[in-house]
Amino acid sequence: MNDQWAGVRDRVAALGTQPACNGVFGALWHRWALDEPLTEEELAGLEGQIGVRLPEDYRTFLLRVAAGGAGPAYGLFPVRRAQSRWRWEGDGADLADLSALAEPFPEQGPDPRSLDDLQAQRPEEEDFDEIEDFDDAIEAWDERWDALMFAPGRTVGAVVISHLGCARREWLIISGVHRGTIWSDDRADDVDLAPCLDANGKPVTFARWYTDWLEQAERLTPPPPSDA
């Protein structure tokens, strides 16, 4: 059987030795370090806790490469066991409901009409005589917007696996029709959740997401020329 992860751990380690390696975005954060891979027993314990089998390319990565560490952006969030419970660790990892990973991730985001209707109701400063009244109105509108965009039910069946800075993150879908794909989360900038797509418009899988990052990093950090 072809092992898609053969040599990947060594390639990451080799990148960390290149003079230009810190020029890769996020490298100063993850420092090219990888956690140890999970054992079969540990993976079974993780999947037993969350009640669902992980997407195949991600679970084999956990077994063959690492439980987390160096990866896209500020790194791949590691999955670790603390006080006999498994969890993903990283900025925003707690946004995921680990008790709901077996529930299917929603097929779509909020009804676009709901977003459009609410956007149309956004207060405008010129409609208020007093700035304090406008501030109160916009604060109330923000609360309604966040309640819609960040409703917990919108991210069931998914885990946060990477942080891009400025509250922008990426999710791996665990359950449902989008299982195994990566979704971007720019809701902090009022941009809805969306699938990451390749150049052909196809959803990006975990394996494609990670190996594309690795190949790009290798192009950015070629080894120095050897002495003639």
Side-chain angles (χ1 to χ4, degrees), residues 140-220:
W141 183 89
D142 282 340
E143 290 178 357
R144 293 171 60 198
W145 180 265
D146 287 348
L148 177 63
M149 293 289 278
F150 291 92
R154 301 197 57 228
T155 51
V156 297
V159 293
V160 186
I161 60 167
S162 184
H163 180 233
L164 289 78
C166 300
R168 297 170 55 241
R169 301 178 175 89
E170 290 175 310
W171 295 69
L172 171 64
I173 312 306
I174 304 298
S175 302
V177 297
H178 301 294
R179 171 180 165 84
T181 62
I182 305 294
W183 282 53
S184 65
D185 183 356
D186 295 340
R187 290 176 293 174
D189 294 329
D190 293 337
V191 178
D192 201 9
L193 295 159
C196 295
L197 305 176
D198 65 16
N200 297 315
K202 295 183 178 180
V204 172
T205 63
F206 173 82
R208 178 69 181 272
W209 176 78
Y210 195 90
T211 56
D212 278 359
W213 164 80
L214 180 57
E215 291 167 3
Q216 182 181 24
E218 289 173 330
R219 290 193 295 271
L220 291 172

Side-chain angles (χ1 to χ4, degrees), residues 94-170:
D94 56 352
L95 292 172
D97 183 354
L98 302 190
S99 69
L101 293 186
E103 297 182 30
F105 181 79
E107 292 190 32
Q108 300 179 12
D111 185 336
R113 292 169 298 180
S114 300
L115 292 174
D116 291 343
D117 289 346
L118 186 53
Q119 186 67 48
Q121 299 169 26
R122 191 178 191 278
E124 300 293 338
E125 186 173 351
E126 58 266 25
D127 295 332
F128 294 83
D129 294 329
E130 301 293 338
I131 189 63
E132 292 82 3
D133 293 336
F134 169 72
D135 289 342
D136 291 342
I138 198 69
E139 182 178 351
W141 183 89
D142 282 340
E143 290 178 357
R144 293 171 60 198
W145 180 265
D146 287 348
L148 177 63
M149 293 289 278
F150 291 92
R154 301 197 57 228
T155 51
V156 297
V159 293
V160 186
I161 60 167
S162 184
H163 180 233
L164 289 78
C166 300
R168 297 170 55 241
R169 301 178 175 89
E170 290 175 310

Side-chain angles (χ1 to χ4, degrees), residues 62-118:
L62 294 177
L63 290 170
R64 299 280 292 143
V65 182
Y74 290 110
L76 173 63
F77 285 3
V79 56
R80 294 170 176 157
R81 184 169 52 194
Q83 298 179 343
S84 301
R85 300 292 294 175
W86 289 95
R87 67 181 184 187
W88 280 262
E89 297 181 353
D91 189 327
D94 56 352
L95 292 172
D97 183 354
L98 302 190
S99 69
L101 293 186
E103 297 182 30
F105 181 79
E107 292 190 32
Q108 300 179 12
D111 185 336
R113 292 169 298 180
S114 300
L115 292 174
D116 291 343
D117 289 346
L118 186 53

Side-chain angles (χ1 to χ4, degrees), residues 2-118:
N2 180 42
D3 181 2
Q4 64 184 326
W5 301 118
V8 166
R9 189 177 176 93
D10 290 340
R11 288 166 65 188
V12 173
L15 276 169
T17 68
Q18 301 305 323
C21 67
N22 287 336
V24 175
F25 174 70
L28 290 174
W29 184 270
H30 59 66
R31 297 183 180 276
W32 303 102
L34 288 170
D35 284 17
E36 289 299 312
L38 298 184
T39 65
E40 292 278 3
E41 182 179 5
E42 288 172 330
L43 181 59
L46 167 61
E47 292 179 329
Q49 176 188 310
I50 63 177
V52 65
R53 184 181 176 91
L54 294 169
E56 201 62 30
D57 55 353
Y58 179 55
R59 72 189 312 273
T60 54
F61 179 93
L62 294 177
L63 290 170
R64 299 280 292 143
V65 182
Y74 290 110
L76 173 63
F77 285 3
V79 56
R80 294 170 176 157
R81 184 169 52 194
Q83 298 179 343
S84 301
R85 300 292 294 175
W86 289 95
R87 67 181 184 187
W88 280 262
E89 297 181 353
D91 189 327
D94 56 352
L95 292 172
D97 183 354
L98 302 190
S99 69
L101 293 186
E103 297 182 30
F105 181 79
E107 292 190 32
Q108 300 179 12
D111 185 336
R113 292 169 298 180
S114 300
L115 292 174
D116 291 343
D117 289 346
L118 186 53

